Amino acid sequence: MKRVMLAGMLSIIIIITTACGQSFYRYNYPVQPFDYTNQDDQRVSLSDLEGKVWIADLVFTYCETICPTMSANMAELQKRLKSEGVEVELISFSVDPERDDPAALKQYLEKFDADFSNWNALTGYEFHEIKSFVLRSFKTTIGKDTASDQVIHDANFNLVDQSGHVVAKYDGMNPPYTKIIKKVKDLQK
């Protein structure tokens, strides 16, 4: 009887320990439909990304804080994905569309040696539209800093699967490149 109780308690401890080491929250929410303008003044929509894995972030061209680091990290991720032969689309949504026209976005990403064959920076909407889109699609908020000309936003890289659902988020300031690439490969199997 003691052995059965001991085995049962051991099983419960293993289950609890294993469960505590895992996140119960799983990302799986749809990106809302969009149709915006990229750095080459061409339209890019959610339907263009259907059936593709993609990674999205939020930036603006005159950002004084996190955007340059995030964009440099996205460029590094792009290089690593290409070196491993992994096809993925990269999408950077401007959180200040009033200032970020296509030419400004192109000039900004060129500083990071962006390869525009699979990286689009999007604009062509009003601030209230991107604010709503970001909240509904990526479950995060953006806001204008009343003390400066900056826009407050998160630093996440959002991984989106072939069906247009956000399935993971990664720290864009310190991305786990190997983990992201593995997850993209797993999605593409």
Side-chain angles (χ1 to χ4, degrees):
M1 180 73 165
K2 283 186 177 183
R3 284 187 179 180
V4 172
M5 286 180 54
L6 185 60
M9 288 178 54
L10 185 57
S11 295
I12 291 171
I13 290 171
I14 290 171
I15 290 169
I16 291 171
T17 304
T18 304
C20 290
Q22 298 176 356
S23 171
F24 287 105
Y25 185 75
R26 299 282 186 250
Y27 295 102
N28 186 20
Y29 39 86
V31 174
Q32 300 301 301
F34 65 87
D35 185 2
Y36 301 142
T37 304
N38 76 0
Q39 71 282 345
D40 294 319
D41 211 19
Q42 298 174 340
R43 303 301 288 183
V44 175
S45 68
L46 180 62
S47 62
D48 294 326
L49 299 168
E50 190 174 309
K52 298 178 180 179
V53 174
W54 50 288
I55 299 169
D57 69 351
L58 309 174
V59 299
F60 61 107
T61 61
Y62 61 93
C63 178
E64 297 173 355
T65 57
I66 62 176
C67 299
T69 301
M70 288 176 56
S71 296
N73 290 342
M74 186 71 89
E76 177 62 24
L77 178 59
Q78 183 181 46
K79 289 176 189 164
R80 291 183 187 208
L81 286 160
K82 283 187 184 278
S83 74
E84 295 211 22
V86 179
E87 292 186 22
V88 64
E89 298 292 318
L90 306 177
I91 306 290
S92 292
F93 292 93
S94 170
V95 293
D96 191 8
E98 286 86 11
R99 293 190 195 193
D100 289 345
D101 63 15
L105 288 169
K106 187 164 193 164
Q107 183 179 18
Y108 173 76
L109 286 184
E110 283 174 340
K111 295 177 192 175
F112 303 99
D113 295 322
D115 177 350
F116 294 114
S117 67
N118 70 324
W119 190 351
N120 288 285
L122 302 181
T123 189
Y125 36 81
E126 299 294 324
F127 182 77
H128 69 88
E129 292 175 90
I130 192 64
K131 186 175 182 177
S132 175
F133 172 79
V134 164
L135 179 61
R136 294 174 67 209
S137 297
F138 303 121
K139 308 303 182 214
T140 188
T141 60
I142 62 172
K144 294 187 178 185
D145 184 352
T146 57
S148 72
D149 65 351
Q150 299 293 288
V151 179
I152 301 165
H153 62 90
D154 74 17
N156 288 326
F157 287 174
N158 299 277
L159 180 60
V160 183
D161 70 9
Q162 295 92 327
S163 66
H165 286 76
V166 175
V167 294
K169 290 185 179 233
Y170 302 98
D171 179 5
M173 295 296 287
N174 188 22
Y177 297 110
T178 304
K179 188 175 182 179
I180 296 170
I181 292 168
K182 181 184 181 319
K183 182 70 172 178
V184 170
K185 286 179 177 179
D186 288 346
L187 288 171
Q188 293 177 339
K189 287 182 181 175

